[in-house]
Amino acid sequence: MDFLILFSSRHRVVLEVDGKQHYANGDTASPALYSELVSEDRRLRLAGYEI
């Protein structure tokens, strides 16, 4: 999660800005980094966020 915006109406917005640096080492895709990215998305969904 890069940014979290909380509104007084109990609404919340999460901004996630993903580029290849989140799932690659330089120009080479990294399955381990991609797995971490997918795992974090799943965790946020389970916490009630829409991805």
Side-chain angles (χ1 to χ4, degrees), residues 22-24 29-40:
H22 290 278
Y23 59 85
S30 168
L33 290 175
Y34 183 74
S35 175
E36 289 176 23
L37 181 70
V38 171
S39 178
E40 181 62 17

Side-chain angles (χ1 to χ4, degrees), residues 18-29:
D18 290 338
K20 73 178 183 179
Q21 73 275 12
H22 290 278
Y23 59 85
N25 291 319
D27 288 330
T28 305

Side-chain angles (χ1 to χ4, degrees), residues 4-7 11 14-16 18 21 28-31 34-35 39-40 43-44 46 51:
L4 172 62
I5 303 167
L6 300 172
F7 295 96
H11 286 90
V14 172
L15 297 176
E16 180 81 27
D18 290 338
Q21 73 275 12
T28 305
S30 168
Y34 183 74
S35 175
S39 178
E40 181 62 17
R43 187 184 70 77
L44 288 170
L46 290 172
I51 306 292

